[in-house]
Amino acid sequence: FLIQRVIKGNTNSFREPKSSILSDKKKNDIDFSDMFALDSDLTGSLNSWKILLNTQFNSLNPNRISEATRAKLTFNRSFDLNENKDKNIDDINLKKEQNTNFSNFLDLKLFSSYREKVSRGYSGEEEIYFGTGIELENNKTWELDKKQTKLTTLYGIGEFKAKSKGANVHKTLFRNIFAAKYSYKFPLWVKDGLDQSIDIKYKYSPAVINQSLFWNINILSSIFVYSDDSSQKVIKLATGPKLILGEFKNNFLDYSSLDIKTSYFIKDGESPFAFDNVDESFRINLSLDQQIYGPLVFSYKNSYNFDNSKFAKGNYGLDFRRRAYSFGAFYNANNESLGIRFKIFNFDYTGLSPKF
């Protein structure tokens, strides 16, 4: 039930009636059916395939159905390439002795979408009007002495109808994408004597706080090839620290999390679409969570663009966190969205705990 829309008596979410699908949104009066919205996630399985249908209706007005609806259908199947090897007792014992953990999965995804909204980070949002395709992705992860490594390779092909990068028109093109991502995370400092499990002192967190300083390195290489003979080639280098301090047990400033990443791009070519044209700005991104008092935690995310020497519009949040749940409010200045969020943890917990 869209309270703000009801109070205002109008909405800026739609175009003028009978206007082009690429027209700007205008203020429109509402009727009774515009007061309601419906989001749904339907999940299921068919043999070894996982099926997900996500639909969003930001109005139940039948006259606005074409621009009030978003939908995406995906079929996923995952193959554990390490399954047979893990069954060998000698391999399991070797992993324990070396303190390693290795996984190797091949994921196949088929998808079809209508008016899918694509986030471009601090560059805003774009839309894929129609999209259909298939992706094949291999994920290898391994950990040795708290050093975590992940290697991902991906190939995808699809047909997309989306807004052109250079003009306010739609283009329909096939796109091939080849991508590889290497991630490496290693500790610079890990606090000794961390709790192995939570106890009654953990009133504000569902897990032990891993007090540490890690350094993250990410290297991404991508090639996009389009059916109009255009292409873009991108190498992204991102690196920076993540620091976590405090146990989140005491009432005042006992938890801080700071994540900083600097991103640098090397790019050749341009995408014909607006939704996947890579922004090659040299940026530093930061994310902060800070306990204020008791369960109150302030969060802030922003990005600084070295090319124009400007900060982006930040994201702000204030949450009331407890071990079993959290709720709070957020404001995204980038798209001027304001809302509330609610989370519940530990649905699989089968024991009984005292009131806290």
Side-chain angles (χ1 to χ4, degrees):
F1 183 67
L2 305 177
I3 299 174
Q4 180 182 2
R5 189 177 289 179
V6 172
I7 294 174
K8 293 175 63 178
N10 55 65
T11 177
N12 293 312
S13 298
F14 307 105
R15 309 181 304 269
E16 289 185 349
K18 299 181 180 180
S19 62
S20 166
I21 60 176
L22 290 171
S23 299
D24 293 333
K25 296 177 181 178
K26 301 292 184 180
K27 181 183 291 187
N28 287 274
D29 293 332
I30 64 171
D31 63 19
F32 180 76
S33 57
D34 289 313
M35 301 178 186
F36 301 91
L38 177 65
D39 293 350
S40 67
D41 291 313
L42 302 178
T43 61
S45 60
L46 179 63
N47 296 325
S48 298
W49 291 86
K50 294 181 180 179
I51 305 171
L52 171 62
L53 174 62
N54 171 265
T55 58
Q56 298 175 314
F57 298 89
N58 68 342
S59 170
L60 300 186
N61 187 336
N63 296 322
R64 306 191 200 274
I65 195 69
S66 64
E67 55 180 322
T69 306
R70 299 185 190 275
K72 186 170 185 178
L73 175 65
T74 60
F75 293 83
N76 293 278
R77 184 169 182 179
S78 185
F79 303 88
D80 187 352
L81 303 182
N82 207 35
E83 183 177 8
N84 293 330
K85 185 177 179 180
D86 279 345
K87 293 179 180 179
N88 188 313
I89 191 64
D90 293 331
D91 291 327
I92 295 174
N93 291 333
L94 180 61
K95 287 181 180 180
K96 292 180 179 179
E97 292 174 3
Q98 296 179 344
N99 191 25
T100 62
N101 185 14
F102 177 75
S103 65
N104 186 9
F105 287 91
L106 183 67
D107 298 318
L108 177 62
K109 180 171 77 172
L110 293 80
F111 64 89
S112 182
S113 63
Y114 170 66
R115 296 188 66 239
E116 179 183 4
K117 188 179 293 186
V118 178
S119 173
R120 304 188 69 243
Y122 292 99
S123 299
E125 296 176 334
E126 292 292 346
E127 181 181 276
I128 301 173
Y129 196 71
F130 282 116
T132 303
I134 182 172
E135 293 179 350
L136 189 64
E137 181 176 282
N138 179 228
N139 289 288
K140 294 184 176 72
T141 60
W142 59 96
E143 181 177 347
L144 175 62
D145 296 329
K146 298 181 180 179
K147 300 174 183 177
Q148 302 171 16
T149 307
K150 183 175 182 179
L151 177 62
T152 300
T153 54
L154 176 143
Y155 170 71
I157 183 172
E159 184 181 37
F160 300 93
K161 179 179 181 179
K163 181 182 175 182
S164 169
K165 181 182 71 69
N168 196 29
V169 295
H170 274 148
K171 284 189 174 183
T172 302
L173 298 170
F174 281 92
R175 184 191 72 174
N176 288 269
I177 177 173
F178 307 85
K181 182 178 181 180
Y182 173 80
S183 302
Y184 183 57
K185 177 181 176 182
F186 61 93
L188 298 175
W189 166 77
V190 177
K191 184 176 181 180
D192 295 329
L194 292 174
D195 295 336
Q196 298 301 309
S197 60
I198 65 172
D199 54 29
I200 198 171
K201 296 179 181 179
Y202 281 87
K203 296 184 294 182
Y204 309 131
S205 172
V208 173
I209 303 301
N210 183 24
Q211 298 186 70
S212 57
L213 174 61
F214 275 81
W215 196 274
N216 298 281
I217 299 173
N218 296 299
I219 303 174
L220 173 64
S221 177
S222 305
I223 300 174
F224 302 81
V225 180
Y226 305 89
S227 57
D228 65 350
D229 295 328
S230 61
S231 66
Q232 64 173 335
K233 307 175 184 68
V234 181
I235 296 177
K236 175 185 176 182
L237 307 174
T239 186
K242 182 173 183 179
L243 175 65
I244 300 177
L245 294 174
E247 297 180 303
F248 212 178
K249 295 179 182 179
N250 300 314
N251 284 330
F252 185 65
L253 300 180
D254 192 33
Y255 172 69
S256 303
S257 175
L258 177 63
D259 192 354
I260 302 175
K261 284 189 177 66
T262 301
S263 300
Y264 178 74
F265 291 85
I266 302 172
K267 180 182 174 182
D268 178 39
E270 297 284 334
S271 169
F273 293 121
F275 79 89
D276 67 348
N277 188 59
V278 176
D279 181 357
E280 55 187 318
S281 301
F282 179 32
R283 293 178 179 267
I284 183 168
N285 303 302
L286 62 91
S287 176
L288 171 69
D289 285 350
Q290 176 62 58
Q291 180 197 27
I292 300 174
Y293 183 81
L296 288 179
V297 176
F298 170 76
S299 61
Y300 175 71
K301 295 181 180 180
N302 208 337
S303 171
Y304 181 78
N305 189 331
F306 287 95
D307 292 343
N308 58 20
S309 301
K310 291 183 179 180
F311 277 98
K313 298 178 181 179
N315 299 341
Y316 305 84
L318 186 65
D319 293 282
F320 185 95
R321 298 187 185 181
R322 296 302 299 262
R323 188 172 70 198
Y325 63 89
S326 74
F327 66 86
F330 67 88
Y331 175 66
N332 185 338
N334 186 55
N335 58 17
E336 298 183 342
S337 61
L338 175 69
I340 59 175
R341 54 194 174 201
F342 183 71
K343 299 179 182 179
I344 300 177
F345 307 111
N346 302 332
F347 272 109
D348 57 349
Y349 179 66
T350 57
L352 296 174
S353 61
K355 184 179 179 180
F356 65 93

